[in-house]
Amino acid sequence: AQSVTQLGSHVSVSEGALVLLRCNYSSSVPPYLFWYVQYPNQGLQLLLKYTSAATLVKGINGFEAEFKKSETSFHLTKPSAHMSDAAEYFCAVTLNAGKSTFGDGTTLTVKP
Amino acid sequence: DVKVTQSSRYLVKRTGEKVFLECVQDMDHENMFWYRQDPGLGLRLIYFSYDVKMKEKGDIPEGYSVSREKKERFSLILESASTNQTSMYLCASGQGGVYEQYFGPGTRLTVT
């Protein structure tokens, strides 16, 4: 069975500060990992994905994530937050057949 | 760009009504999914389909059914709507295997 835990349902940062959203996974086989972003009243869109190539993955809008097998983690970071980054972020794990398990989400607030 | 469309953005129905939510994708994806999204609970999979006329139950299929008669279209049916089915419903599609999913904008359903 696979599962995803996102630590912190709400994260608040100041504009220009580092963004760190935490995701830990549980999987019996090497996972494929994804971060999605959801803006208000919209569906989810892909930020980045890890599919067993490089462990440091770069995504859109300046986000990146590092796969750490020893820590079973896939934390999302951005060096400098922008007001437009305010959204809900979801970590997801996929094993096979395209079926994913999503975390409960982390709402990011960016203060001016 | 992949496009996933959902028939309604907002829907209000009465208890006991039969409700149809339609989803169409334009990328010839094998897989299609229906999720419901509730605050603090993340995304929960209701049903998914990996081919025409094929379906599998997700984590919370009770009270729902689905239909996939054509590859591009996946319908979610609430046979007799109840107030606890008030939620945001998200449709997604994806290629087979461990690829990312593409989401529609969502349908916010209110059952009164």
Side-chain angles (χ1 to χ4, degrees):
Chain A
Q2 59 196 44
S3 66
V4 173
T5 302
Q6 290 184 238
L7 299 174
S9 58
H10 291 86
V11 171
S12 181
V13 301
S14 298
E15 192 172 20
L18 171 73
V19 175
L20 171 61
L21 304 182
R22 299 177 188 273
C23 172
N24 287 88
Y25 69 91
S26 172
S27 171
S28 56
V29 297
Y32 292 83
L33 294 158
F34 304 83
W35 275 101
Y36 292 86
V37 61
Q38 184 181 34
Y39 299 103
N41 296 315
Q42 294 185 26
L44 280 68
Q45 57 182 273
L46 182 70
L47 264 182
L48 49 80
K49 60 183 177 182
Y50 167 76
T51 55
S52 76
T55 56
L56 183 62
V57 181
K58 294 187 184 300
I60 62 171
N61 301 338
F63 284 93
E64 62 182 38
E66 187 172 8
F67 173 70
K68 291 187 176 180
K69 185 178 178 180
S70 61
E71 299 177 8
T72 61
S73 69
F74 189 57
H75 301 332
L76 181 70
T77 60
K78 182 174 180 178
S80 176
H82 192 272
M83 297 296 290
S84 60
D85 295 326
E88 190 163 17
Y89 293 80
F90 292 92
C91 183
V93 59
T94 300
L95 291 186
N96 52 42
K99 187 179 163 188
S100 299
T101 298
F102 289 81
D104 291 343
T106 297
T107 299
L108 175 65
T109 301
V110 181
K111 298 175 292 187
Chain B
D1 273 357
V2 176
K3 195 160 187 181
V4 180
T5 56
Q6 295 185 229
S7 50
S8 304
R9 292 300 304 272
Y10 299 93
L11 209 53
V12 180
K13 295 291 182 181
R14 294 197 180 276
T15 301
E17 278 193 84
K18 190 169 186 176
V19 181
F20 293 87
L21 303 182
E22 302 281 331
C23 175
V24 178
Q25 53 99 357
D26 66 357
M27 280 300 292
D28 202 36
H29 284 161
E30 290 90 351
N31 294 346
M32 296 190 74
F33 308 84
W34 275 107
Y35 297 91
R36 64 176 283 176
Q37 182 179 18
D38 301 288
L41 297 179
L43 273 69
R44 292 180 291 169
L45 182 65
I46 305 171
Y47 269 97
F48 74 102
S49 170
Y50 50 90
D51 202 351
V52 174
K53 297 190 186 296
M54 306 300 286
K55 62 186 179 185
E56 282 197 26
K57 293 180 180 178
D59 301 318
I60 52 164
E62 296 78 18
Y64 304 94
S65 62
V66 291
S67 172
R68 193 170 181 196
E69 297 295 320
K70 293 185 177 182
K71 191 174 185 179
E72 68 271 19
R73 188 179 298 268
F74 192 34
S75 302
L76 180 69
I77 303 152
L78 287 65
E79 294 290 342
S80 178
S82 64
T83 55
N84 62 13
Q85 292 178 309
T86 291
S87 186
M88 170 70 90
Y89 289 88
L90 292 169
C91 175
S93 73
Q95 294 176 294
V98 293
Y99 297 97
E100 63 270 27
Q101 296 180 20
Y102 296 85
F103 285 81
T107 296
R108 189 167 293 282
L109 172 68
T110 302
V111 182
T112 60

